[in-house]
């Protein structure tokens, strides 16, 4: 029997305010709608997911470290504004290196303010996907699944 992979979907500051915060940029759907969409997609993709959101950098770092001990297979992460300056978050991702991360963003960060063009977390992730709304997360899960398959083939 093939092991069902577990993906942790992490969301940083202000993502709990989806549908409220700047709907022209982030859309009108709520965080609960995002979680529902991801659970539905995970079922279709044959993976188990857990969604986690915090407005606190330290809580996100704690959850990344906990994921290591839980042997989470992969992480889709939207660090929010922490993307652009949190070396502590970057180091936490790097410290659990066997776990692949895909960084995602709802909006196209390259079409926004110049400070958003820099990601300090991207270099420790296997990919960055942005500008597709909820679909960025789905593509992130698909990227992880492809990564799992490639690793399985390499190790067989």
């Amino acid at each position: 029997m093939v092991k069902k992979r577990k993906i942790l979907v992490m969301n940083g500051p202000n993502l709990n305010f989806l549908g409220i915060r700047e709907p022209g940029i982030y859309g009108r759907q709520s965080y609960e709608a995002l979680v529902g969409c991801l659970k539905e997609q995970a079922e279709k993709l044959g993976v188990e997911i857990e969604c986690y959101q915090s407005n606190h950098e330290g809580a996100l770092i704690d959850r990344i470290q906990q994921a290591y001990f839980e042997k989470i297979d992969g992480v889709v992460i939207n660090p929010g504004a922490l993307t652009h300056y949190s070396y502590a978050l970057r180091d936490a991702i790097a410290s659990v290196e066997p776990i692949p991360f895909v960084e995602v963003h709802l909006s196209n960060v390259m079409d926004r303010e110049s400070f958003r063009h820099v990601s300090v977390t991207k270099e420790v992730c296997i990919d960055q996907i942005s500008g597709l709304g909820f679909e960025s997360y789905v593509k992130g899960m698909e990227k992880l699944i492809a990564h799992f398959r490639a690793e399985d083939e390499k190790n067989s």
Side-chain angles (χ1 to χ4, degrees), residues 2-70:
V2 177
K3 172 190 163 200
K4 192 170 195 177
R5 301 294 190 137
K6 183 164 184 183
I7 295 173
L8 174 62
V9 179
M10 298 185 69
N11 285 286
N14 298 310
L15 285 152
N16 58 312
F17 253 47
L18 286 178
I20 299 168
R21 176 186 176 218
E22 299 177 273
I25 295 172
Y26 299 107
R28 299 200 178 280
Q29 294 186 49
S30 68
Y31 179 74
E32 292 74 21
L34 172 63
V35 171
C37 169
L38 295 177
K39 287 184 177 183
E40 183 179 310
Q41 291 299 318
E43 191 167 317
K44 289 179 185 175
L45 294 169
V47 294
E48 181 183 341
I49 67 162
E50 173 190 337
C51 295
Y52 177 82
Q53 189 278 328
S54 179
N55 291 320
H56 305 282
E57 181 180 39
L60 293 165
I61 292 166
D62 288 344
R63 186 64 190 97
I64 288 169
Q65 292 175 355
Q66 182 183 346
Y68 176 83
F69 292 109
E70 292 174 355

Side-chain angles (χ1 to χ4, degrees), residues 66-149:
Q66 182 183 346
Y68 176 83
F69 292 109
E70 292 174 355
K71 301 194 182 325
I72 296 290
D73 294 297
V75 178
V76 172
I77 186 167
N78 183 340
L82 297 172
T83 302
H84 315 296
Y85 67 87
S86 179
Y87 293 104
L89 187 62
R90 180 235 177 262
D91 289 349
I93 294 168
S95 74
V96 296
E97 186 179 333
I99 301 174
F101 280 69
V102 175
E103 179 183 310
V104 300
H105 300 281
L106 294 161
S107 66
N108 184 340
V109 292
M110 297 310 286
D111 287 344
R112 301 204 40 215
E113 304 92 337
S114 61
F115 76 88
R116 295 185 195 276
H117 298 179
V118 175
S119 169
V120 300
T121 52
K122 180 172 94 172
E123 69 183 38
V124 290
C125 294
I126 63 170
D127 203 358
Q128 180 192 61
I129 301 167
S130 70
L132 304 174
F134 287 7
E135 190 67 17
S136 293
Y137 290 83
V138 176
K139 296 288 185 199
M141 289 192 295
E142 290 171 347
K143 179 63 103 170
L144 285 175
I145 292 165
H147 179 82
F148 301 151
R149 287 188 185 127

